[in-house]
Amino acid sequence: MDARSINAKLRRGQVPTAEELRWFAQGLADGGVSDAQAGAFAMAVCMGGLGAQGRADLTVAMRDSGDVLTWDVDGPVIDKHSTGGVGDSVSLVLAPALAEMGAYVPMISGRGLGHTGGTLDKLESIPGVTTQISEDRLAQILRETGAAIVGATGQIAPADKRLYAIRDVTATVESLDLITASILSKKLAASPDALVLDVKVGSGAFMKTHEDARNLAQALTQTANAAGCRTSAVITDMNQPLAPALGNALEICEVMKAMTNGRNTPLAEISAELGGVLLVDAGMCATLDEGREKLAEIIRSGRAAERFGRMMAAVGAPLHFVDNWSRYLPEASVILEVPAPSTGYVTAMDGEALGLAVVALGGGRQVESDVIDPAVGISNIVRLGDKLDKGAPLAVIHAAREDAAQQAAQAVLQAISLGPDSPSLPGIVHERITA
């Protein structure tokens, strides 16, 4: 068996066998496959596809190219993945809420990608927090607190790490088969009993149309279930930021507000929706309504916040962070309101443009080596349908320099549209695709 014969098979429109894909994934992980061969493989898959069975076989092969974690716990192990959006900090609310229900939640999360913020970057805006820990320490934290949100070690799906870097420079990132295998190989390496996928659609998501989002959701759920993990997906709206703030520390502020102010917010609503699906799939609740209501109460009551504090303390946060969180989070030196240029209703938002404005402020990475400024971002962002008078604030810029704040303000003005008529607003949940 060799890479040339596998690539030749793909070129002829044939799908490699599970054994061949397992060999190729191992070659990606240990260097037995060259960059040129990996690039040819990615292009062939991008052009011809693998089909449902081939996609599942590649996913399992990439999962098994490194460590597959096991857990010694007394409850179901469950997890969630989002395809990426803006103002999306659901994991930070959902993980502690699920742990309060008696589930165990080992979330292996990532850094910012493109215009979307990264869960690990947000957590590391809390002083002292480190998200790169050993597998043994992860298991210990999981037993002690019920949930942990950490970065992947080098031994989790190493084939994916290698192939993703090659896809990035060979214009093959968009392949549905390769996207599916990339996402699920890492998630399934954590051995969850149930998984829910939050597939975002809209201006702030990677998937701009419902058709594209639905195709991805179906591919992910079919593949994960074929690999033996009970999985459902929820297609959710990303035509505006989920929370009214973008930027690492600013999004932690919104997370803490969602878990401590006792009021329902879109962030809390989506967390309860996704968690309800998970609880049904894991056999912990009989119906979605039951699971959703229990999680909403856990979030509303402050119990999720208390659990979050224990999770964060286990990875280095101040012991009393939850009691006085605003004291600990970094603040930007320049604060600038962006006034509405006219009277009208908020009719549309370019979420991707807002996310890129935060990256330009220093809140994300333009190259891998960039150092993030956790304090910068955009807060107090208006919502679709809001009626504003001329001069009322559209948003508030948090920047390190005055010139950067002015540039971000111009980006906000271009990204948020005002009109004379109230818009038709989409629901926050577009569709559920169950296991």
Side-chain angles (χ1 to χ4, degrees):
M1 197 176 301
D2 64 80
R4 287 174 297 180
S5 63
I6 292 171
N7 283 337
K9 199 171 189 178
L10 283 165
R11 189 184 68 239
R12 293 192 298 270
Q14 299 172 325
V15 178
T17 66
E19 183 180 0
E20 287 170 329
L21 290 170
R22 191 178 309 115
W23 181 92
F24 199 92
Q26 193 57 51
L28 288 168
D30 63 20
V33 169
S34 72
D35 284 355
Q37 291 166 333
F41 175 87
M43 186 60 73
V45 172
C46 193
M47 297 296 290
L50 291 173
Q53 186 59 55
R55 186 190 308 134
D57 289 341
L58 178 63
T59 299
V60 171
M62 289 170 60
R63 177 199 67 186
D64 293 345
S65 68
D67 292 345
V68 177
L69 306 180
T70 57
W71 311 106
D72 180 18
V73 293
D74 58 2
V77 175
I78 58 182
D79 199 2
K80 163 261 178 191
H81 176 78
S82 169
T83 58
V86 288
D88 176 12
S89 299
V90 166
S91 294
L92 310 189
V93 177
L94 179 57
L98 290 170
E100 276 292 301
M101 286 286 296
Y104 291 87
V105 191
M107 282 191 180
I108 297 176
S109 297
R111 305 276 174 192
L113 179 65
H115 66 280
T116 66
T119 298
L120 302 183
D121 300 322
K122 295 169 194 179
L123 286 178
E124 289 173 358
S125 70
I126 301 173
V129 166
T130 178
T131 58
Q132 297 302 136
I133 63 175
S134 69
E135 292 175 12
D136 288 344
R137 178 60 179 150
L138 171 59
Q140 181 183 7
I141 292 172
L142 195 66
R143 289 192 298 270
E144 292 173 351
T145 71
I149 304 174
V150 299
T153 71
Q155 295 307 309
I156 296 292
D160 174 65
K161 183 175 182 180
R162 174 101 183 281
L163 186 58
Y164 189 91
I166 288 167
R167 288 166 57 209
D168 192 35
V169 297
T170 56
T172 54
V173 171
E174 289 79 6
S175 162
L176 189 64
D177 292 331
L178 297 179
I179 290 171
T180 299
S182 178
I183 289 172
L184 291 178
S185 61
K186 296 187 288 287
K187 280 296 172 183
L188 298 181
S191 302
D193 300 310
L195 173 67
V196 68
L197 300 156
D198 183 6
V199 180
K200 302 292 190 186
V201 62
S203 69
F206 289 106
M207 298 298 171
K208 307 298 184 188
T209 69
H210 186 85
E211 181 182 5
D212 286 345
R214 196 171 200 276
N215 288 340
L216 178 58
Q218 289 179 327
L220 288 166
T221 53
Q222 290 169 0
T223 302
N225 281 291
C229 178
R230 188 168 178 82
T231 302
S232 298
V234 182
I235 300 176
T236 65
D237 190 71
M238 189 43 68
N239 285 299
Q240 62 183 327
L242 186 56
L246 312 182
N248 297 295
L250 294 172
E251 291 190 49
I252 294 292
C253 289
E254 296 302 324
V255 166
M256 299 314 301
K257 290 175 186 176
M259 294 193 294
T260 59
N261 67 10
R263 297 194 303 271
N264 192 30
T265 64
L267 183 57
E269 182 182 344
I270 285 292
S271 298
E273 174 76 23
L274 294 168
V277 172
L278 261 179
L279 292 174
V280 171
D281 283 353
M284 299 180 70
C285 285
T287 67
L288 173 59
D289 285 345
E290 178 191 354
R292 187 196 294 120
E293 290 168 11
K294 286 183 176 181
L295 287 168
E297 174 56 27
I298 286 171
I299 296 167
R300 200 164 42 237
S301 68
R303 290 165 57 194
E306 181 181 350
R307 178 76 64 153
F308 181 76
R310 290 167 54 192
M311 291 167 53
M312 292 301 97
V315 289
L319 290 177
H320 302 292
F321 174 75
V322 170
D323 299 326
N324 198 6
W325 50 268
S326 61
R327 167 189 167 195
Y328 294 105
L329 293 172
E331 297 180 354
S333 55
V334 178
I335 309 295
L336 177 67
E337 280 192 354
V338 184
S342 61
T343 295
Y345 291 94
V346 180
T347 58
M349 289 191 200
D350 186 339
E352 183 171 352
L354 291 173
L356 291 173
V358 174
V359 173
L361 284 167
R365 296 176 184 84
Q366 301 191 49
V367 297
E368 189 174 349
S369 58
D370 282 351
V371 176
I372 282 180
D373 183 343
V376 302
I378 307 171
S379 72
N380 301 86
I381 303 168
V382 292
R383 306 291 294 173
L384 290 176
D386 285 355
K387 186 175 183 181
L388 303 178
D389 293 327
K390 182 179 180 179
L394 290 173
V396 176
I397 307 298
H398 300 248
R401 305 184 320 276
E402 181 67 31
D403 62 330
Q406 293 292 345
Q407 290 174 5
Q410 290 303 310
V412 168
L413 287 169
Q414 293 175 12
I416 299 178
S417 301
L418 300 176
D421 300 317
S422 180
S424 175
L425 300 179
I428 199 165
V429 173
H430 289 219
E431 185 179 0
R432 299 180 188 90
I433 296 175
T434 56

